[in-house]
Amino acid sequence: MAAMGRGLPYFAVGTVVKGFGRGSKELGIPTANFPEHVVEQLPDEITTGIYFGWARVDNGPTFKMVMSIGWNPYYKNERKSMETHIMHVFEDDFYGSELRVVMLGYIRGEKNFKSLEELISAIHSDIAESDRQLSLPEYEKYKDHSFFTEKSETNCNGVVKNGIHVDNRKLVNGSTGPSDHSS
Ligand SMILES: Cc1cc2nc3c(=O)[nH]c(=O)nc-3n(C[C@H](O)[C@H](O)[C@H](O)COP(=O)(O)O)c2cc1C
Ligand SMILES: Nc1ncnc2c1ncn2[C@@H]1O[C@H](COP(=O)(O)OP(=O)(O)O)[C@@H](O)[C@H]1O
Ligand SMILES: [Mg+2]
């Protein structure tokens, strides 16, 4: 079987936070931004650039997604971001919701562009390419991965690597007690 790329599949969970508000307003392409600690947990193999995969908001359906990781050279951001455009039209914003993603393939590196129109057109090509790739059986099957159907917990800041859930809530909340309430 063909390899997916170094570090892939990569699973991540986090709360949707505010970015610069450019995605919807300037580009017409909203991106749900992950908080800094999720970005910081990315392993070195996950280089900056554009990835495709699947995404789920809270307990909703799982949709195709395309993600941008990096400093957005067109805007020269000072902080590295990890932003997911979900291929679905949502009625409302979902800041504060839990976003789960699995990244399956790498499309290209981040680029600078001479105009906003060129950036927008590149993003539209990425969306079309991701849409095609995700319909292939080898990628489509991840839509129903147990990662998405596991009972989700509030304030879950866990990160899942290669199917293994690494729960780092203790680090985030500073709690050291056991997380299992059933015993
Ligand atoms: C599929 C995709 C590809 C992107 N490619 C680039 C890129 O090559 N260069 C760049 O500067 N920004 C790129 N971006 C990031 C946009 O500039 C970013 O989403 C926008 O600045 C919105 O940021 P905000 O969430 O802070 O509002 C891409 C975004 C997406 C969704
Ligand atoms: N299809 C979608 N994909 C991603 N985010 C969406 C989508 N539809 C609505 N949103 C909402 O829009 C927000 C992102 O818009 P954006 O302009 O990028 O703002 P920000 O800079 O705060 O990330 C998300 O956090 C989410 O609440
Ligand atoms: Mg955004």
Side-chain angles (χ1 to χ4, degrees), residues 16-25 29-33 83-90 92-95:
V16 177
V17 299
K18 286 248 179 199
F20 292 100
R22 295 168 179 149
S24 315
K25 289 202 189 83
I29 308 156
T31 58
N33 296 36
E83 318 171 10
T84 304
H85 172 69
I86 303 172
M87 295 185 212
H88 176 74
V89 177
F90 290 85
D92 296 299
D93 283 348
F94 46 85
Y95 290 110

Side-chain angles (χ1 to χ4, degrees), residues 43-179:
D44 293 342
E45 304 93 271
I46 305 290
T47 54
T48 59
I50 316 308
Y51 292 81
F52 61 81
W54 297 96
R56 185 182 190 203
V57 178
D58 292 332
N59 298 317
T62 303
F63 297 110
K64 290 175 176 176
M65 69 81 172
V66 62
M67 183 192 282
S68 167
I69 300 178
W71 289 269
N72 298 354
Y74 182 80
Y75 290 104
K76 301 180 176 58
N77 288 353
E78 281 169 15
R79 254 195 219 151
K80 187 175 176 181
S81 68
M82 191 175 170
E83 318 171 10
T84 304
H85 172 69
I86 303 172
M87 295 185 212
H88 176 74
V89 177
F90 290 85
E91 299 255 326
D92 296 299
D93 283 348
F94 46 85
Y95 290 110
S97 289
E98 181 193 81
L99 174 65
R100 292 182 165 238
V101 298
V102 57
M103 292 149 59
L104 299 173
Y106 176 83
I107 300 181
R108 63 174 176 90
E110 289 190 291
K111 286 195 284 198
N112 198 351
F113 295 91
K114 287 192 217 83
S115 66
L116 192 62
E117 288 64 39
E118 284 173 76
L119 169 62
I120 293 170
S121 133
I123 298 176
H124 283 299
S125 313
D126 296 331
I127 293 171
E129 170 71 7
S130 303
D131 188 30
R132 273 196 298 276
Q133 295 278 352
L134 288 162
S135 293
L136 299 173
E138 61 180 306
Y139 298 126
E140 170 120 78
K141 65 183 182 194
Y142 281 88
K143 185 180 183 182
D144 300 315
H145 194 281
S146 60
F147 168 68
F148 290 113
T149 50
E150 275 167 14
K151 189 170 156 276
S152 68
E153 295 171 63
T154 48
N155 295 323
C156 177
N157 291 304
V159 166
V160 178
K161 287 177 186 168
N162 298 327
I164 302 156
H165 192 188
V166 181
D167 190 343
N168 66 338
R169 276 170 297 163
K170 292 187 188 104
L171 295 173
V172 173
N173 296 335
S175 148
T176 50
S179 55

